[in-house]
Amino acid sequence: MATNEPEHEHRDVEEAGANEDEDTGAQVAPIVRLEEVAVTTGEEDEDAVLDLKSKLYRFDKEANQWKERGAGTVKLLKHKSTGKIRLVMRQSKTLKICANHFVTQGISVQEHVGNEKSCVWHARDFADGELKDELFCIRFASIENCKAFMQKFNEVAESEVEKEESKEASDTAGLLEKLTVEETKTEEKPVEKEKTTVEADEKKKDEPEKSG
């Protein structure tokens, strides 16, 4: 009859050898020492006012169809000094930029027809390193996230319109004030000239009296 004893002995030897390797406690120094490198994203001077996971698409005019740009996190970032807000989206794994543009007046986001979790908008995008007119469509995991994105996006765009109107009003007021000051100076100049002429005539009259 065949026996399994040799197999057990061989297995015991392997386990014993493995245990000996585990108990050595040897430490192997790394061949190459890696140093930490600071990575800059360009978002260090900005604060996120919105941060949501989503999937972004762009409309390809030549193919006449939507093409996926990537899945990741879409952010609305407000600059700490200028106050300007831009939309930035990066792919979750590669961190490649899918969208990068300012939210300015005239831009409005609307719900995508037939899908309450998606919305669309036009923008001058700089994700590829040059300005391009793009039609974007973004899809969220829930209707609530889509509505939150649309509400915040439109609020920012409307605030930019108000800022521009306020700036125009301020510039107009400054221009009117400048024109008023210039008109006042122009009106005052003939009076000064007339006054100078009268003083000169009086001075001429006094000269003969002094000489006499």
Side-chain angles (χ1 to χ4, degrees), residues 136-155:
F136 288 117
C137 176
I138 193 167
R139 187 177 68 190
F140 297 91
S142 65
I143 298 175
E144 291 74 15
N145 285 353
C146 184
K147 288 183 177 180
F149 174 80
M150 292 176 60
Q151 181 179 356
K152 193 64 181 178
F153 191 107
N154 288 329
E155 283 179 2

Side-chain angles (χ1 to χ4, degrees), residues 189-202:
K189 283 182 180 179
V191 176
E192 292 177 357
K193 185 177 181 181
E194 184 178 353
K195 185 179 178 183
T196 305
T197 305
V198 172
E199 290 178 351
D201 293 340
E202 291 179 352

